[in-house]
């Protein structure tokens, strides 16, 4: 009987794609919002706030991968594992 690896490799998951698109979206939004100089305001979406959201996204991604590896098995053949 062939036992599969615990989970798919990270690059084969939709979580990775969603994570990367979310990070890119946060960076674009932070850059596009502007500094609010014309409205006597400050930077509404400063870099420190953008990196805070990226940190939260990273923690969420790591937790989701940890939960995925918590006991599920895949029947996917990974050429790096099967010789």
């Amino acid at each position: 009987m062939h036992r599969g690896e615990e989970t798919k490799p990270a690059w084969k998951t939709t979580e990775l794609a969603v994570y990367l698109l979310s990070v890119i979206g946060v960076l674009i939004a932070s850059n596009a919002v502007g500094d609010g100089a014309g409205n006597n305001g400050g930077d509404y979406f400063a870099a420190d706030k953008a990196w805070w959201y990226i940190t939260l996204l990273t923690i969420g991604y790591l937790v989701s991968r940890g939960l995925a590896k918590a006991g599920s098995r895949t029947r996917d053949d990974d050429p790096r594992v099967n010789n």
Side-chain angles (χ1 to χ4, degrees):
M1 177 179 216
H2 179 268
R3 283 184 47 178
E5 291 297 307
E6 246 183 67
T7 60
K8 291 188 228 179
W11 56 271
K12 286 187 173 184
T13 64
T14 56
E15 291 101 348
L16 179 63
V18 169
Y19 168 72
L20 292 175
L21 289 173
S22 299
V23 168
I24 291 168
V26 167
L27 292 174
I28 290 171
S30 176
N31 189 39
V33 167
D35 61 4
N39 298 331
N40 293 329
D43 192 356
Y44 297 117
F45 195 14
D48 61 336
K49 198 180 287 186
W51 285 110
W52 173 247
Y53 288 127
I54 290 171
T55 301
L56 294 177
L57 286 168
T58 302
I59 291 168
Y61 174 73
L62 293 174
V63 168
S64 74
R65 288 301 297 159
L67 290 174
K69 290 179 172 273
S72 62
R73 299 276 179 204
T74 184
R75 291 172 179 73
D76 189 25
D77 291 329
D78 187 356
R80 295 174 298 165
V81 175
N82 301 330
N83 295 328

